[in-house]
Amino acid sequence: MTIENKKTTIIQNPILKGFNPDPYMLRVGDIYYIAVSSFGWLPGVRVYQSKDLAEWEHCTDILTHQVDLRGNPKDCSIWAPQLSNHEGVFYLIYTDVKSTKRPFKDSHNFLITASAIEGPWSEPVYLNSSGFDPSLFHDEDGRKWILNELWDYRITEGNKSSGIIIQEYDPVHRCLIGKPVKIFDCTSLKKTEAPHIYKRDGYYYLITAEGGTGSGHAVTVARSKDLMGPYEVDPQNPMLTSRDNPELELQCAGHGSLVQTPEGEWYMAHLCTRPIEGEYAILGRETALQQVYWNEQGWLRLTAGGNSPQLEVPAPKGTLVNEQRQVFEFVDTFDGPHLHKNWNTLRIMADESWCSLHERPGYLRIKAGESMQSLFQHHILAIRQTDKHFRAETGLEYQPESYLQMAGLLLYLNEERYLYMYVTHEGGQGKILRMMRCEADKFVTVPGQFVLSEELPVYLAVEVEGLKAQFSYRTGNESSWSPVFESQNISFLSGGFTGNFVGIAAHDMQQFQSSHADFTHFSYQGKEEV
């Protein structure tokens, strides 16, 4: 991060930029944690930590060997993790979604535990499959309860997320006991999900997300004197939303969770987007923070008033934080024993069988996998796009022998939406540079190709300014970059549940892993927003 030295008492939103959706916030001692959804990207469930709620750092990623995401469609896999801590034990509960093919939704809920946030984490305990977004509540009497959204496939029109159910969890036998009970129906906002329970002043407060995860997203609060209900809805519901103000910088506000500081202040982490030109959420769903309080009637309110998400919120009392105008910088020269923890892979973990720092020291060797559309062995290494404006570079040595072999630099939302500048081979020309573009069901090869030296390394770069991406390259010891291909409009790299990634990859449709690319480095430099 690049941070100015100026101090402030204001937190700037979003606190977690780029693809960081469905935040669950937790305080353990003097450390705050936020766990976010990872969908098909591994390792799964990214966790950030902070000591002041303003400056957050990537702490760890939890799911490594516990999940098998091969074959899962786009926008499926790991949804809405919830992190809790009770008597020194961390609990993580999450959904692994295998299919969202209507009218059904195959969503399997699991629980794992660890004595430290970094692990080691236990093997998963299977819970149920009745709905997604599970949450674990530790009641004061020692009993534990699992909540989740209830998916009702029988509903033919509109809202299949029909409410919230609860069932007791037995930590000794590691299983659900008793029968599930429906404790909450939807409000008029519908699409009720992401349930979390907090107990305060004799009330059980149920916080849910409603209205869908798009522009209608919202936070709904209800309460009851009894855990099993009935739950009374906040008379001023929704408590937080952007649905009525399309001019707000932070859109899609919803999916909230709470923490209380040691000094007694309350904050809510929530999902949001920052659509470019008001329409294209290329960065995906991000995480913001709002300061909240409990009014005299015992309902949750924004300290700023109203129910609209704020770009600036007060930091906790006595906290001075660094000026928040930050851009992300990332450089990996592949000269260490392990991959940098910021990297992600898709559906499969990186391992020595295809992604090696040891076969050629000082380089990252990626053995070519299946095609760009593969749901199984896509050998891609990528990081989140966290800035509306950035530049990314890489270098590689690669000797393809067929047009079916390729490696290079890409902007990647999912297997249906990407831009890929790649080195390949064409009969009669030898090694060349080309570009492909996939936009939903429309696949094209971008006009133009550039002949490359068979021996020299090639360096690839992309410069993104909002909705425009300009690719360039150089070879060998050349110092100047040559723009190639026409400038690309990347508005199509938005939509769905994730955000755009920037990465490197190798593919071989001639013979699996019969070729490999050696990458020299990768860098990402965010730019200040004006």
Side-chain angles (χ1 to χ4, degrees):
M1 295 287 187
T2 298
I3 307 175
E4 297 178 19
N5 292 324
K6 181 180 177 182
K7 296 288 185 176
T8 180
T9 58
I10 298 298
I11 297 173
Q12 293 281 347
N13 278 318
I15 55 170
L16 303 179
K17 296 181 179 181
F19 167 56
N20 286 293
D22 308 328
Y24 188 85
M25 184 164 56
L26 170 73
R27 179 172 69 86
V28 180
D30 63 349
I31 299 178
Y32 301 93
Y33 298 101
I34 290 179
V36 297
S37 294
S38 49
F39 290 82
W41 294 95
L42 291 174
V45 183
R46 178 154 291 196
V47 179
Y48 298 86
Q49 68 179 23
S50 173
K51 288 201 170 185
D52 58 15
L53 290 174
E55 298 176 26
W56 294 84
E57 63 178 0
H58 176 198
C59 170
T60 188
D61 296 89
I62 294 177
L63 298 179
T64 54
H65 65 283
Q66 298 96 335
V67 295
D68 183 356
L69 307 184
R70 289 173 295 181
N72 288 7
K74 67 180 179 67
D75 292 336
C76 290
S77 300
I78 308 305
W79 287 14
Q82 188 244 3
L83 195 61
S84 61
N85 186 280
H86 187 252
E87 297 181 344
V89 177
F90 282 96
Y91 296 78
L92 178 78
I93 189 167
Y94 62 92
T95 307
D96 183 357
V97 181
K98 295 300 183 183
S99 173
T100 56
K101 185 74 172 175
R102 297 298 180 100
F104 302 103
K105 196 181 292 284
D106 295 306
S107 52
H108 309 312
N109 296 320
F110 298 89
L111 173 68
I112 59 176
T113 59
S115 58
I117 193 68
E118 297 84 3
W121 287 84
S122 68
E123 292 302 310
V125 173
Y126 170 71
L127 299 170
N128 63 25
S129 302
S130 56
F132 49 88
D133 292 2
S135 182
L136 176 62
F137 174 63
H138 307 268
D139 208 347
E140 295 170 343
D141 61 4
R143 298 171 76 179
K144 301 184 188 298
W145 300 87
I146 301 292
L147 300 96
N148 60 267
E149 171 269 3
L150 179 63
W151 185 261
D152 190 341
Y153 74 91
R154 300 170 300 174
I155 299 174
T156 57
E157 295 183 8
N159 180 40
K160 295 183 189 298
S161 291
S162 63
I164 303 301
I165 59 172
I166 192 169
Q167 188 172 359
E168 189 170 1
Y169 176 72
D170 182 345
V172 175
H173 297 95
R174 304 178 75 197
C175 65
L176 292 172
I177 57 176
K179 297 292 185 181
V181 176
K182 191 175 186 182
I183 62 170
F184 188 70
D185 291 312
C186 302
T187 72
S188 60
L189 298 178
K190 301 184 179 181
K191 298 184 178 178
T192 305
E193 55 191 40
H196 303 305
I197 284 184
Y198 302 86
K199 194 169 187 182
R200 179 182 181 274
D201 292 345
Y203 279 101
Y204 292 93
Y205 284 88
L206 174 64
I207 295 180
T208 68
E210 289 199 301
T213 194
S215 60
H217 212 26
V219 172
T220 287
V221 179
R223 69 183 183 187
S224 173
K225 287 285 188 177
D226 189 280
L227 178 62
M228 295 300 173
Y231 281 82
E232 170 196 11
V233 178
D234 182 347
Q236 294 185 25
N237 194 63
M239 178 262 161
L240 174 72
T241 189
S242 311
R243 63 188 295 129
D244 302 318
N245 193 345
E247 303 303 317
L248 289 173
E249 176 72 14
L250 301 181
Q251 289 294 310
C252 303
H255 202 116
S257 59
L258 296 171
V259 296
Q260 184 180 24
T261 71
E263 292 74 29
E265 297 175 280
W266 288 84
Y267 287 84
M268 173 177 282
H270 66 91
L271 178 156
C272 68
T273 62
R274 291 179 295 153
I276 299 175
E277 297 186 1
E279 186 174 355
Y280 305 104
I282 292 175
L283 298 175
R285 299 176 303 156
E286 305 177 298
T287 289
L289 196 72
Q290 305 297 324
Q291 189 182 55
V292 298
Y293 72 100
W294 301 91
N295 69 7
E296 293 181 356
Q297 292 74 42
W299 291 110
L300 198 61
R301 297 287 181 260
L302 298 178
T303 58
N307 63 0
S308 298
Q310 305 296 303
L311 275 173
E312 296 184 342
V313 299
K317 294 174 183 178
T319 300
L320 282 177
V321 298
N322 286 313
E323 181 69 38
Q324 289 292 296
R325 294 300 178 192
Q326 304 178 2
V327 294
F328 180 61
E329 299 175 359
F330 174 73
V331 179
D332 196 341
T333 55
F334 305 129
D335 54 1
H338 305 290
L339 281 171
H340 193 285
K341 68 177 182 179
N342 201 46
W343 286 113
N344 284 118
T345 51
L346 195 57
R347 298 185 179 88
I348 57 173
M349 287 289 293
D351 62 44
E352 283 289 320
S353 70
W354 67 270
C355 184
S356 175
L357 291 168
H358 303 106
E359 291 192 28
R360 188 182 178 188
Y363 294 79
L364 172 68
R365 175 164 292 180
I366 298 182
K367 294 178 182 177
E370 295 173 344
S371 74
M372 290 288 293
Q373 259 86 348
S374 174
L375 304 183
F376 294 88
Q377 294 287 340
H378 188 178
H379 292 178
I380 178 177
L381 209 63
I383 66 169
R384 291 158 172 78
Q385 178 185 341
T386 55
D387 306 271
K388 294 180 180 179
H389 313 296
F390 71 91
R391 178 182 175 85
E393 297 181 11
T394 192
L396 71 154
E397 297 181 12
Y398 186 45
Q399 301 298 328
E401 298 178 350
S402 165
Y403 69 92
L404 295 170
Q405 299 172 332
M406 58 192 70
L409 176 69
L410 67 164
L411 304 179
Y412 186 93
L413 179 68
N414 54 51
E415 61 270 14
E416 296 179 358
R417 297 178 182 268
Y418 56 82
L419 270 174
Y420 186 21
M421 180 168 66
Y422 58 98
V423 177
T424 186
H425 180 96
E426 194 68 50
Q429 298 180 76
K431 189 161 70 171
I432 62 170
L433 185 66
R434 301 187 72 173
M435 178 181 286
M436 64 175 67
R437 175 188 178 106
C438 186
E439 181 176 350
D441 58 354
K442 183 179 179 181
F443 176 89
V444 297
T445 299
V446 177
Q449 57 187 38
F450 302 85
V451 177
L452 303 171
S453 166
E454 293 289 344
E455 292 80 23
L456 296 176
V458 59
Y459 300 93
L460 310 177
V462 62
E463 191 105 15
V464 170
E465 298 287 341
L467 298 180
K468 297 295 183 182
Q470 179 61 61
F471 287 80
S472 58
Y473 86 110
R474 62 184 178 87
T475 59
N477 295 321
E478 293 177 352
S479 58
S480 60
W481 292 86
S482 300
V484 286
F485 311 105
E486 59 186 11
S487 177
Q488 298 290 306
N489 184 307
I490 61 170
S491 60
F492 72 100
L493 297 177
S494 63
F497 295 157
T498 60
N500 188 48
F501 277 67
V502 188
I504 53 180
H507 308 87
D508 195 328
M509 285 75 72
Q510 178 169 282
Q511 186 176 356
F512 181 67
Q513 292 196 171
S514 67
S515 65
H516 64 262
D518 290 338
F519 289 87
T520 61
H521 70 286
F522 178 90
S523 66
Y524 173 104
Q525 175 64 63
K527 297 182 180 180
E528 290 281 358
E529 295 179 21
V530 179

